[in-house]
Amino acid sequence: MRRSVLLAAGGGLLALTGALVSPAATAAPLDAFVIQSWGKDNCQEGYVCLYEDWHFNRNQKDWKILLTRKDLGNLGGDFHMDDRTSAVFNNSDRTVKLYPGKYHMGVPLTVGPREAFDFTNDDSLESDMYNDKYSSLKFTTGGNDH
């Protein structure tokens, strides 16, 4: 008798925990994350993508892309992208500003919706001004600022 009571109680507990952990639950999309890939095609709809190397990572699948749809005051830390951006693609309907200083300090580069910049490594003045210079970003218009 004692065993059946414990088994029944255990079965009830199992049923209770099963109800709490439902396989049908869907996780919310991440607001910022890093993948290893290349090309603008790997920048998901609604995100701004910062590429570790010029030409949108030049077909190198092991280079980083930081995807974000929220303000980031420090591209270093968890993302390891401080002063490493060599291309950017804004695949969102919002305008974003890239800042040379952490926490949105300095004169920003404005990137409009669906706009892309490639800071090619060609010794040009543009490359020197923009390549590997950004430490934070902030969305300025449209959408939900998460």
Side-chain angles (χ1 to χ4, degrees), residues 3-4 7 11 21 24 40 54 61 71 81 83 101 106 111 117 123 127 129 131-132 137 146:
R3 277 190 195 170
S4 61
L7 288 175
V21 181
K40 292 192 295 184
W54 40 279
K61 64 182 179 182
D71 297 347
M81 286 291 287
D83 294 336
V111 184
F117 289 105
D123 297 324
S127 292
M129 287 176 56
N131 191 40
D132 297 338
L137 67 81
H146 300 279

Side-chain angles (χ1 to χ4, degrees), residues 23-40:
T26 304
L30 297 174
D31 288 330
F33 58 97
V34 173
I35 62 172
Q36 289 184 296
S37 191
W38 59 275
K40 292 192 295 184

Side-chain angles (χ1 to χ4, degrees), residues 41-106:
D41 291 344
N42 285 306
C43 184
Q44 295 178 21
E45 173 72 28
Y47 287 83
V48 170
C49 294
L50 306 179
Y51 296 80
E52 184 176 24
D53 206 3
W54 40 279
H55 298 316
F56 306 96
N57 285 351
R58 300 180 298 151
N59 301 334
Q60 299 296 317
K61 64 182 179 182
D62 58 340
W63 287 343
K64 289 189 285 191
I65 304 173
L66 168 58
L67 293 88
T68 185
R69 59 184 189 164
K70 70 173 190 171
D71 297 347
L72 295 174
N74 181 359
L75 297 177
D78 293 338
F79 304 113
H80 306 286
M81 286 291 287
D82 187 31
D83 294 336
R84 297 186 76 171
T85 299
S86 293
V88 59
F89 176 42
N90 182 354
N91 197 16
S92 79
D93 294 327
R94 302 160 63 199
T95 298
V96 68
K97 293 187 178 204
L98 302 177
Y99 292 85
K102 288 183 174 75
Y103 306 103
H104 317 117
M105 301 298 291

